[in-house]
Amino acid sequence: MLTLTFFTAQAPAYELQKKYVASEAKWLIHLDFKALMKTKLWDNVYREKKTKINHRNDRILKEVSFDVMKDLYSVSVYGVDKGDKNAVVLINGNFNKAKIIQKLKDEEKPEIKKYGKIAVYHWDHDDYGAFVGDGLLVITHSRINMEYAIDVIMGKKEGFKGSPLFKRLNEVPGDAILFALAGDLSKMIGKNHKMPMMIDKSKMALFLAMERNNDMRLSLKLHTESSEAAKNLMQIGNGLLALARMNNGELDGNKKLIESINISADKNIVSAYMFIPSEFILDKVDRHN
């Protein structure tokens, strides 16, 4: 999960969203592995620490001639509704299609059907996959979603430019390591009296991760239903922070993380920032290995 979190996104890669993400997308996460390779964190974790890949996964990747460090370019995940069953995964990379398809046929015995000129592979009851062109692999859990995703990619249906979330891409800095967009959170999750106020009063959300002076800077911008709601959320957040900072004995190595958090409000928007020292990340990676 830690490794996945630091896949990255940069401005030039946004063309992929404009063309391949559906206009009806309610949420979007984009990660670009190539940009990660330019960070100092990459130097420390991957080139010096040599983190290990699961042996079985490593064997499979070698069999299909796929080197994650060289051949994976980006990963985008979007959903037109709540729930992982509606998610569409777009993997951009340098694939040996013939070997991957043969491996899938040998191990999963997939059902193969054509959608136009695109071969769609169906295996394990609810998994669908298709190569659209040479460098784009689409994976989802629904044939309907697969066909819709292919139509978007082929230009037969409207892409992300038609989405209300699209203009938020302008708020994503070019050196962002990861970004996640979500529309009306309260509608996506479903309003009810048990929902935390943070969600109940929330609208659009934008999460960013980027490297700053060897540290990871995480930020969250949360649009709320009113300036009063934003002020209340800021006060609740800062109150919880104050309580956490008072419990110094229980913070251990997380003290610096807690102290780095800043929460503010401007009109109907709540902003939160947090810095994660690179040594903290490296320590977690070492323990994982």
Side-chain angles (χ1 to χ4, degrees):
M1 287 299 295
L2 183 65
T3 301
L4 179 62
T5 301
F6 293 114
F7 284 5
T8 61
Q10 282 195 323
Y14 299 165
E15 289 300 319
L16 187 141
Q17 282 76 46
K18 296 174 185 177
K19 296 178 180 178
Y20 300 155
V21 175
S23 63
E24 295 184 5
K26 300 295 190 301
W27 55 270
L28 164 67
I29 303 171
H30 181 70
L31 317 103
D32 191 321
F33 198 75
K34 288 299 180 184
L36 173 63
M37 295 171 64
K38 299 177 182 178
T39 65
K40 293 180 179 178
L41 179 65
W42 167 269
D43 289 334
N44 291 328
V45 174
Y46 289 93
R47 292 180 183 165
E48 294 180 16
K49 298 291 182 178
K50 299 291 186 182
T51 57
K52 299 177 181 178
I53 297 177
N54 177 280
H55 290 303
R56 180 178 182 276
N57 293 337
D58 187 42
R59 175 181 59 79
I60 293 174
L61 291 173
K62 287 180 179 178
E63 289 177 2
V64 297
S65 301
F66 189 81
D67 186 336
V68 173
M69 309 308 176
K70 296 179 181 179
D71 297 325
L72 178 62
Y73 301 156
S74 67
V75 179
S76 293
V77 186
Y78 72 86
V80 298
D81 203 349
K82 57 187 177 182
D84 62 347
K85 293 294 183 182
N86 294 287
V88 175
V89 181
L90 306 174
I91 305 175
N92 184 221
N94 178 30
F95 301 111
N96 187 319
K97 289 171 54 177
K99 286 189 176 181
I100 293 175
I101 291 171
Q102 189 57 54
K103 184 68 176 177
L104 180 64
K105 289 179 177 179
D106 291 343
E107 296 203 356
E108 301 295 341
K109 305 296 188 294
E111 178 184 1
I112 306 172
K113 289 188 177 181
K114 288 278 190 176
Y115 184 66
K117 295 182 179 181
I118 306 298
V120 176
Y121 299 85
H122 178 210
W123 70 98
D124 197 23
H125 302 296
D126 62 353
D127 288 323
Y128 292 82
F131 282 102
V132 184
D134 292 327
L136 187 65
L137 173 60
V138 183
I139 299 174
T140 185
H141 289 303
S142 161
R143 182 173 177 83
I144 294 176
N145 285 343
M146 172 60 74
E147 293 178 354
Y148 187 86
I150 291 174
D151 283 345
V152 172
I153 295 168
M154 302 301 289
K156 296 180 180 180
K157 292 189 181 296
E158 189 175 21
F160 198 51
K161 283 186 177 181
S163 169
L165 289 177
F166 177 75
K167 63 181 180 179
R168 299 301 175 189
L169 285 180
N170 295 327
E171 300 179 32
V172 180
D175 62 345
I177 292 178
L178 174 150
F179 75 79
L181 285 169
D184 193 321
L185 291 177
S186 60
K187 286 184 179 179
M188 287 174 58
I189 298 175
K191 284 200 170 190
N192 61 69
H193 66 283
K194 296 181 180 180
M195 187 182 299
M197 182 180 178
M198 180 73 73
I199 300 299
D200 188 54
K201 302 297 182 182
S202 298
K203 300 298 182 182
M204 198 284 296
L206 170 62
F207 174 80
L208 297 169
M210 61 201 78
E211 187 177 62
R212 289 290 183 272
N213 299 321
N214 296 333
D215 295 334
M216 298 304 303
R217 181 180 186 267
L218 310 183
S219 68
L220 174 65
K221 183 181 289 187
L222 198 62
H223 291 240
T224 66
E225 60 185 25
S226 66
S227 58
E228 182 180 359
K231 183 179 179 180
N232 289 338
L233 289 182
M234 178 192 69
Q235 291 174 342
I236 291 173
N238 283 323
L240 293 173
L241 276 178
L243 289 175
R245 288 165 179 162
M246 289 174 61
N247 296 323
N248 288 328
E250 299 179 9
L251 292 179
D252 296 324
N254 298 321
K255 181 178 180 181
K256 191 174 181 179
L257 301 184
I258 298 297
E259 291 178 345
S260 75
I261 299 175
N262 178 276
I263 303 174
S264 61
D266 181 17
K267 296 180 180 178
N268 69 319
I269 299 175
V270 178
S271 299
Y273 302 92
M274 177 182 185
F275 285 90
I276 304 180
S278 57
E279 59 267 22
F280 180 88
I281 298 172
L282 293 174
D283 178 63
K284 294 296 183 183
V285 172
D286 284 337
R287 292 184 182 183
H288 175 72
N289 288 333

